[in-house]
Structures are given as C-alpha cells and as structure tokens.
Amino acid sequence: MNRIFLDNAATTPIDPEVLTAMVEVMQSTFGNPSSIHAEGRKARSLIEAARKTVANALNCSIGEIFFTSGGTEANNMALKNAVRDLGVKRIISSPLEHHCVLHSLEAIAATGAAEVEMVNIDERGHVDLADLRRRLEEQSADTLVSLMHSNNEIGNLLPLQEVADLCGEFGVYFHCDTVQTMGYFPIDLEKTRVSFLSGSAHKFYGPKGVGFVYINNDNHIKPYLDGGAQERNMRGGTENVYGIVGLAKALERAVEEREERRNQMESVKQYMMERLREVYPEVRFNGDPCRSHYKVLSVSFPESPKGDLLLMNLDLAGISASGGSACSSGIDVGSHVVGHLHPDSKRHTIRFSFSHHNTREQVDYVVEKLAAML
Ligand SMILES: Cc1ncc(COP(=O)(O)O)c(C=O)c1O
C-alpha cells in the first residue's frame, strides 16, 4: 500500500495543474519584474494577473493584496505594521493562535509598543464572544483584535462574520489568520469587514514559501521590508514569480473545486470519527468537531505504555499524521492548544488532517493499524 498522508494541515501536495503552470513560467519567463524591457514586463504581467486572481477570489481590490513569503510573514506584517503605522496600542488575541501570531505578539509586547491581552476560551475551544464584547466595551480606542479563522490543531472555526461585525460596531481593527481556511471556505470582503487577512499557498495545494497578506485600503502602512519598490513599496525584494503564479493557480482551483473537495473531506472525516468511536469508545475528539474545519480531526486516546511512540509507529506503518502543529510534530512538546483545553489530561493526541485525495479505505487501514498500536 502507498503511504497515507493525513497531515494536510501542515502542508498539502502540490496540484499537478499548479506544477504545470509553474514549470511553464520557469521555462519561459526569467525576467526581473522590475525591469522595463520585454522580459521584465512579461514577468510583471504574470504577477499582476495573479494578484487579480487572488483579489477576485476574495472580492477585494488588487491594491489590497501584497505577496509575501508565506503565512508567517503575512501575519508578522499585519500585526507589526498595525502597531508601528496605525497607532495600535492594545491587541486582543487568543492563547490558541498559531505560534507565528503568538510570538509576534510577544515581540510586540516586549518592546512596550502595545499591550496584549487574551480573550477567554470556552471548554470546547471557542472564543468567548461575550468576553470579547465586554473587553471592547471597556475600551476600544487604538485596539486591534487578532483571531484565527480556523485553529490549525483542533480545527475550531471562528464565526468570521460575527466577529467582523463586532469589530465594526466598535470601530477596531480586525486581523484574521485565514491560513487554514483560504480556498476552503468562501470569504467575501465586500460583505465581511476585515482589516488584515493572511494566506499561504502550500496549505491549498500550491508551492511552499509564498503567501499573501490582504490589507484593507483604509489602512495606510509603511514598508515592511526596506528595499526596492516591489509590492508597491511595501515589501522590497525581487518577487517569487513562479511561486506567485503557482499560488494564484492553486487558489483558483481550490475555489473552482471547493464543493467537490469539501464533500470528499467531510465524508472521510465523518467516517473516521465513526470508525474510531466503534473501535475505541473512550476516544476524545478535541475541540468542537461540530463547528470545525472539515480537514482537521484532533483525537486523544487514553494513555497506554504502547502509545508512547504512536506517531513513530504510524510513520513506520506508512501513515503520516502529526502530534500537534508541524512546528512541534516529531518533538515531544505536546500541543499548546490541546494543553490549554485539557491541562491535566494524560492522553495520546494525534492530529489527522485530510485532503480530497484521502479515502474511506485509507481510514479503514489507519484504524486497523492503530488498533494494534494502542
Ligand atoms: C494557522 C496558521 N497560521 C500561519 C501558519 C504559517 O504559515 P507558513 O507556513 O506559510 O509560514 C500556519 C502554518 O502552519 C498555520 O497553520
């Protein structure tokens, strides 16, 4: 049997159509997009076409999309520029954010430029929206709310429209880390008022090392990377032309095939939950599987001596999964998200995350292998 890849929240395999589009550009277009001659203009036109594709997918204007090296840079740029250029002095976030947000917030707090506070999280891992409202009622001046759309470890979904409306009501900035949902859920920025969003191509079957940040036109920021005039002066450095073309193609395909892919992933996730419950009545699904991303399923099993090397044994059996986020997989540090929700529980936790390539037959194989390991 071929290997079974169930770690698609960490990254996804590149879509063959994306690869073809990228190779074509690598072969035909080597110009520097900042050059004014024909080679340069050709590269520039590819980048601008890609920007249009991304803007169309989000229903925003092309001037609001800035290409970056990925989700980490996009989130850093949004948060740090908001503090430096927009006068943000207070950030409300959550302890369940991705490390690129949490560590950016630590860095901001360490400079004393802004204060950071954490909203309450309920027992299922959702943001307590009443607590968020209370905090905004208390104070809303110079405030930014930073909350992720889907948690990368447990999959929980934020009610994006509701939070955007709440931030709108109080006139505060809203940054949403949409790295796990970009291409998977429709986002219409005409309807949903957000100040900053982030995207990363390798999470939606595109290449690694390329992403983008959406910055609402009302927010005038200064350069994030000092250098040339690339990305309308905001991010110096010769653009990753092939990566940007791949990102746009991958996003276009993700939007086109969204329902088909979603149905497949939903059915596989549902089936895995049923099979796991059958075989392990004591299994726990972390977070709230009823309001979570259809690609993520975080599972905890009661502790057993045999389970200590679970991930390694799964790997040896040809199954790739993760213990938490990719940053911690393979290292026994546990997940800060599951740890926050279940601080005292001693269980073996695995994050399975699906793609539309996964099947029910694969789930049967995984459950059968797991049965021998626990
Ligand atoms: C929610 C979330 N935000 C940000 C990132 C970082 O994205 P990138 O790998 O493109 O830097 C990830 C990747 O794991 C993620 O899951």
Side-chain angles (χ1 to χ4, degrees):
M1 192 165 184
N2 292 331
R3 286 191 66 85
I4 298 175
F5 191 74
L6 292 176
D7 199 14
N8 292 278
T11 198
T12 51
I14 199 153
D15 180 325
E17 284 195 30
V18 171
L19 187 61
T20 304
M22 289 175 69
V23 169
E24 218 172 277
V25 176
M26 283 182 202
Q27 285 168 339
S28 68
T29 314
F30 71 93
N32 184 323
S34 298
S35 303
I36 54 162
H37 46 59
E39 288 83 354
R41 290 199 308 275
K42 192 170 168 199
R44 164 70 41 217
S45 72
L46 290 173
I47 293 177
E48 295 318 315
R51 203 185 308 281
K52 180 129 193 55
T53 302
V54 176
N56 285 347
L58 293 171
N59 201 14
C60 65
S61 76
I62 48 175
E64 294 174 309
I65 301 296
F66 300 85
F67 292 114
T68 65
S69 65
T72 298
E73 184 186 325
N75 287 330
N76 268 264
M77 185 166 168
L79 294 166
K80 291 175 181 171
N81 280 61
V83 172
R84 193 190 62 183
D85 304 329
L86 303 178
V88 166
K89 301 246 174 326
R90 174 181 178 235
I91 300 177
I92 307 175
S93 189
S94 101
L96 309 189
E97 301 301 302
H98 189 269
H99 277 141
C100 69
V101 168
L102 291 178
H103 293 165
S104 292
L105 295 180
E106 276 169 25
I108 289 168
T111 65
E115 281 177 13
V116 176
E117 57 188 85
M118 296 297 175
V119 71
N120 292 347
I121 298 292
D122 70 18
E123 69 286 350
R124 301 245 62 173
H126 290 298
V127 169
D128 177 347
L129 293 182
D131 182 54
L132 179 60
R133 173 175 282 281
R134 260 194 310 277
R135 287 170 195 270
L136 292 174
E137 274 166 357
E138 225 170 76
Q139 187 199 325
S140 59
D142 306 327
T143 298
L144 175 141
V145 171
S146 175
L147 293 170
M148 68 204 309
H149 192 191
S150 166
N151 187 278
N152 51 303
E153 299 195 26
I154 54 175
N156 277 19
L157 284 168
L158 184 80
L160 184 62
Q161 186 66 45
E162 209 178 323
V163 175
D165 289 346
L166 189 62
C167 290
E169 187 185 327
F170 288 91
V172 300
Y173 296 106
F174 176 31
H175 162 248
C176 190
D177 176 352
T178 44
V179 164
Q180 289 292 345
T181 50
M182 189 58 61
Y184 292 85
F185 291 87
I187 296 175
D188 181 343
L189 291 167
E190 275 283 309
K191 289 201 195 117
T192 312
R193 177 198 168 279
V194 178
S195 318
F196 304 95
L197 288 185
S198 46
S200 178
H202 74 105
K203 306 290 187 184
F204 49 85
Y205 312 93
K208 290 167 193 34
V210 60
F212 67 89
V213 59
Y214 157 86
I215 303 180
N216 182 288
N217 262 336
D218 295 340
N219 305 322
H220 301 289
I221 60 149
K222 298 199 181 90
Y224 178 70
L225 284 186
D226 296 310
Q230 291 91 351
E231 294 305 283
R232 291 181 312 294
N233 247 338
M234 287 306 126
R235 182 185 187 269
T238 302
E239 298 90 335
N240 174 1
V241 184
Y242 330 115
I244 290 170
V245 167
L247 178 149
K249 185 72 184 167
L251 187 59
E252 187 179 70
R253 302 242 322 121
V255 170
E256 265 167 23
E257 294 194 355
R258 182 152 50 216
E259 288 317 304
E260 225 171 284
R261 293 180 182 185
R262 177 182 184 140
N263 289 341
Q264 177 63 18
M265 280 183 255
E266 259 172 4
S267 131
V268 169
K269 174 175 169 178
Q270 194 55 39
Y271 185 61
M272 185 153 210
M273 288 173 70
E274 285 163 20
R275 289 297 328 273
L276 287 172
R277 270 201 203 102
E278 235 171 72
V279 179
Y280 304 100
E282 292 167 79
V283 69
R284 182 182 73 207
F285 299 119
N286 298 305
D288 181 2
C290 302
R291 254 177 66 202
S292 69
H293 198 318
Y294 47 88
K295 79 183 276 188
V296 181
L297 182 62
S298 171
V299 181
S300 289
F301 302 98
E303 204 175 39
S304 81
K306 271 164 81 188
D308 277 349
L309 298 171
L310 202 51
L311 280 177
M312 203 184 82
N313 287 332
L314 280 172
D315 190 22
L316 290 174
I319 300 157
S320 305
S322 140
S325 66
C327 331
S328 59
S329 57
I331 309 164
D332 190 18
V333 292
S335 144
H336 72 286
V337 175
V338 177
H340 182 92
L341 293 180
H342 304 284
D344 303 322
S345 122
K346 294 214 176 335
R347 283 181 165 236
H348 302 295
T349 296
I350 308 180
R351 177 188 68 179
F352 295 111
S353 50
F354 308 102
S355 80
H356 51 283
H357 303 301
N358 294 128
T359 62
R360 287 174 168 232
E361 289 70 36
Q362 292 181 334
V363 169
D364 285 331
Y365 180 81
V366 173
V367 174
E368 182 197 314
K369 287 289 169 194
L370 267 175
M373 291 176 197
L374 280 164

